[in-house]
Amino acid sequence: MYRFLLTPRWWGINVFTVLAIPFCLFMGSWQLGRFESRVDSHREQQTQADDARSAAARPLSDLLPVSTETSGRRASATGRYDTGHQLLVPDRDLRDHKGFYVLTLLRTDGGKALPVVRGWLPGDAGSPADTARIPAPPTGQVTVVGALQASESPTSKGVHASGGLPQGQLGVISAASLVNMVPYEVYDAWITTPTAEGVMTPVPAAAPPGSGLDLKAFQNLGYTGEWFVFAGFVVFMWFRLFRREAEAARDLALGITDGQPADPAAQDGPDDPDDAQRKRSPAGAA
């Protein structure tokens, strides 16, 4: 009855099934592993953030270049604020309020400048009334301590990358954006201070890219379910085709084709009226 399994058509179906099921299970496990990695990375980042708040500050040079391990760590740098190159970073939200960052460059003893986000103010960076509330940076030599951050990119969250900003405003906090705005070298990193002067609000440190439970992490979890469903669907379709083929083979063995009974006598229709008349009349039979 099951000799149909040896036909070329079923050889192809069986080979496809045998290869498809492990492949779907492998892809589902791989996507699940990526989701678990993002969860572990998120937990590690939370632990690092908690440790960074209580850990002693380290010199800036010891934490560069910025990585997922050093991002958020407390860094210290000594130098003088360049009051002539204070910049505003517009369109930055804080606690669901619109505002802007106040960024001042710290000319360190090593010669390079370190961008320091001294705080956040609500309002419009282009409004003189809002910018008049910005407190002046400290003068003289200072030691600044803050959370180390990686340079932003045009795709970073909250970044104003469309260009066309007025003078004195900066859309992306990065060395590449600052290189044409200041006459000296800039570190490929920046820090945000835990305290802010005057009416400014401190800017919290951001998590490193790819370390949080963002939409991509839950997409990996969704893809995991999809691949396992695909594996189940392959098994379901194989059994469905097998059952239908087995039923067809059984009907063929019993002589049942296209729903017709096997007894040829049962296929005869009702007697023709003339035949019935001949059966009743001897003359007709003659």
Side-chain angles (χ1 to χ4, degrees):
M1 180 183 295
Y2 301 134
R3 291 180 179 178
F4 63 86
L5 291 174
L6 300 178
T7 61
R9 173 173 172 266
W10 269 94
W11 270 106
I13 293 175
N14 292 334
V15 169
F16 172 79
T17 303
V18 170
L19 296 178
I21 293 175
F23 176 76
C24 292
L25 295 178
F26 169 77
M27 292 300 297
S29 301
W30 178 68
Q31 290 288 351
L32 181 61
R34 293 200 62 183
F35 173 75
E36 292 176 345
S37 297
R38 289 181 179 272
V39 172
D40 294 340
S41 178
H42 176 69
R43 290 175 178 171
E44 291 176 1
Q45 181 62 29
Q46 292 294 326
T47 303
Q48 290 178 5
D50 294 338
D51 295 342
R53 296 187 186 99
S54 57
R58 295 175 59 186
L60 176 65
S61 57
D62 294 348
L63 300 175
L64 294 177
V66 185
S67 63
T68 54
E69 288 76 20
T70 60
S71 178
R73 294 287 181 178
R74 297 182 67 205
S76 64
T78 301
R80 296 175 179 270
Y81 278 118
D82 183 3
T83 57
H85 289 94
Q86 181 163 270
L87 301 169
L88 306 180
V89 187
D91 301 327
R92 297 301 177 105
D93 297 342
L94 185 63
R95 303 190 186 100
D96 297 328
H97 294 285
K98 294 289 185 181
F100 55 92
Y101 293 168
V102 178
L103 184 148
T104 310
L105 292 163
L106 180 73
R107 297 291 304 274
T108 64
D109 296 339
K112 286 187 176 181
L114 175 66
V116 178
V117 174
R118 296 169 48 225
W120 173 90
L121 278 174
D124 183 4
S127 171
D130 293 333
T131 58
R133 298 179 298 160
I134 299 175
T139 58
Q141 189 167 9
V142 295
T143 298
V144 181
V145 177
L148 185 65
Q149 300 284 271
S151 290
E152 296 179 334
S153 67
T155 58
S156 300
K157 184 178 179 181
V159 167
H160 187 290
S162 59
L165 295 175
Q167 187 176 3
Q169 294 188 21
L170 178 70
V172 183
I173 306 175
S174 67
S177 300
L178 289 165
V179 67
N180 295 323
M181 303 182 68
V182 294
Y184 39 76
E185 292 186 69
V186 180
Y187 282 107
D188 190 19
W190 57 283
I191 64 172
T192 174
T193 57
T195 58
E197 306 98 350
V199 296
M200 292 192 300
T201 303
V203 176
S211 63
L213 291 178
D214 53 6
L215 180 61
K216 290 184 178 179
F218 291 100
Q219 282 179 343
N220 293 135
L221 186 61
Y223 294 151
T224 299
E226 287 182 0
W227 281 112
F228 289 148
V229 169
F230 291 158
F233 181 74
V234 171
V235 175
F236 167 76
M237 288 302 300
W238 187 92
F239 275 107
R240 183 175 180 180
L241 292 173
F242 172 81
R243 185 177 64 179
R244 189 171 68 177
E245 197 82 15
E247 290 175 352
R250 182 186 59 193
D251 293 345
L252 184 61
L254 295 174
I256 303 174
T257 58
D258 297 332
Q260 299 298 326
D263 185 4
Q267 298 181 8
D268 294 340
D271 292 339
D272 186 84
D274 294 336
D275 294 340
Q277 180 66 25
R278 284 196 295 270
K279 289 178 182 178
R280 290 193 297 269
S281 172

